[in-house]
Amino acid sequence: MRLASASSDPGPGAGGTGNLKYSKGPWTSASGTTGDLRTRTETSRTVLGRGHEGIEAGATGFKSVAALRAC
C-alpha cells in the first residue's frame, strides 16, 4: 500500500539493510506503564461509578443523568 502523496523516490540516505534495530528496555518500560495506567483508570472508573449511584433521585429531568448512568 502506498499513499497517493508518497514519492517513489527513496530520497537521500535510503538503501539500508532493512533490519530494524531496537532496544527492548524502552518498549518493556512503556508496556509496564501502559498496564499501570489501564489498572488505575479502571479503578478510578469503578470509584466514580459508585459515586453516581442514586443520582436519578435528585436530578430528574436533567440530560446529564443518562450520561452518568452510562459510566
Side-chain angles (χ1 to χ4, degrees), residues 24-39:
K24 290 183 182 180
W27 292 105
T28 302
S29 175
S31 174
T33 300
T34 302
D36 290 344
L37 179 61
R38 181 186 179 281
T39 300

Side-chain angles (χ1 to χ4, degrees), residues 49-71:
R50 279 184 261 159
H52 295 155
E53 291 174 5
I55 191 86
E56 291 100 353
T60 305
F62 287 104
K63 292 181 180 181
S64 60
V65 172
L68 290 173
R69 196 177 315 126
C71 292

Side-chain angles (χ1 to χ4, degrees), residues 10 13-20:
T17 64
N19 295 323
L20 179 64

